[in-house]
Amino acid sequence: MPGPDAPPARAAHRTWWRAPLAATLPGLPLLVLEYRWFAAQDGPGAFSGVLFWAAGLLALAWVLPHRRSLRGLRIAAAGTGLGCALLPVAFAVLLGVAVAAS
């Protein structure tokens, strides 16, 4: 039995799932769409690394231990994964705007 000077036991963070879910809901359908879009055209090419990093970071956000001390890392992994998933679409939109403006 722990004494009065023992640190409290680390409890699981009750809302650990919010950041991965908030990033996965828009990110996963977007990744599937991008994989299908690039597969129809000879592969992802230059964006293959970005797509693999996005999938890996979203998965990492889910599999990290459910402790409060890892909340910042979980949020960073989920946000970066979502950003990587949005990168090819944002590049296509900016390229379309540049072509339309010229």
Side-chain angles (χ1 to χ4, degrees):
M1 183 162 162
D5 294 334
R10 292 188 176 195
H13 189 255
R14 291 181 5 179
T15 59
W16 67 269
W17 50 270
R18 286 186 182 172
L21 183 66
T24 303
L25 284 178
L28 191 62
L30 192 58
L31 277 174
V32 170
L33 176 71
E34 289 168 354
Y35 277 122
R36 291 190 60 186
W37 180 35
F38 286 130
Q41 305 192 353
D42 231 11
F47 288 112
S48 65
V50 173
L51 297 178
F52 292 133
W53 272 99
L57 287 169
L58 287 176
L60 177 68
W62 282 104
V63 300
L64 282 172
H66 307 156
R67 291 193 303 254
R68 183 175 287 279
S69 63
L70 293 174
R71 182 172 71 179
L73 184 60
R74 186 176 297 110
I75 291 171
T80 306
L82 179 61
C84 287
L86 290 172
L87 186 65
V89 172
F91 181 72
V93 167
L94 288 175
L95 190 62
V97 169
V99 168
S102 62

